[in-house]
Amino acid sequence: QVIAGQVTTLITAPILIIRGETSDILTRETVSRMLAVQPTARSVEIPGIAHAPFLTEPQAAAVIRDFLA
């Protein structure tokens, strides 16, 4: 079984991890493991949102715009 942290080590492009605060799929622990193996990755948690924040969610959209700028 491949874990998120293992996959993260294969990525060479900049990484932005957007996690919904109440996600039971992408846990905080998983995000921590991903950041441990890719310290240049950036992680943002969107408050009050489940697993996949909608890109129309103002905070998620702002984070993406900043990341791509």
Side-chain angles (χ1 to χ4, degrees), residues 8 11-20 26 31 34-35 38-46 53 55 59-69:
T8 307
I11 300 171
T12 58
I15 299 171
L16 173 62
I17 304 164
I18 302 175
R19 176 185 183 277
L26 181 58
V31 172
M34 294 168 77
L35 294 172
Q38 261 309 352
T40 60
R42 182 174 168 201
S43 171
V44 177
E45 186 171 275
I46 308 298
L55 300 183
Q59 187 176 359
V63 166
I64 293 168
R65 274 194 303 278
D66 290 347
F67 180 74
L68 295 176

Side-chain angles (χ1 to χ4, degrees), residues 16-34:
L16 173 62
I17 304 164
I18 302 175
R19 176 185 183 277
E21 175 187 32
T22 61
S23 176
D24 58 352
I25 297 171
L26 181 58
T27 65
R28 286 184 179 134
E29 293 77 19
T30 298
V31 172
S32 293
R33 286 195 306 268
M34 294 168 77

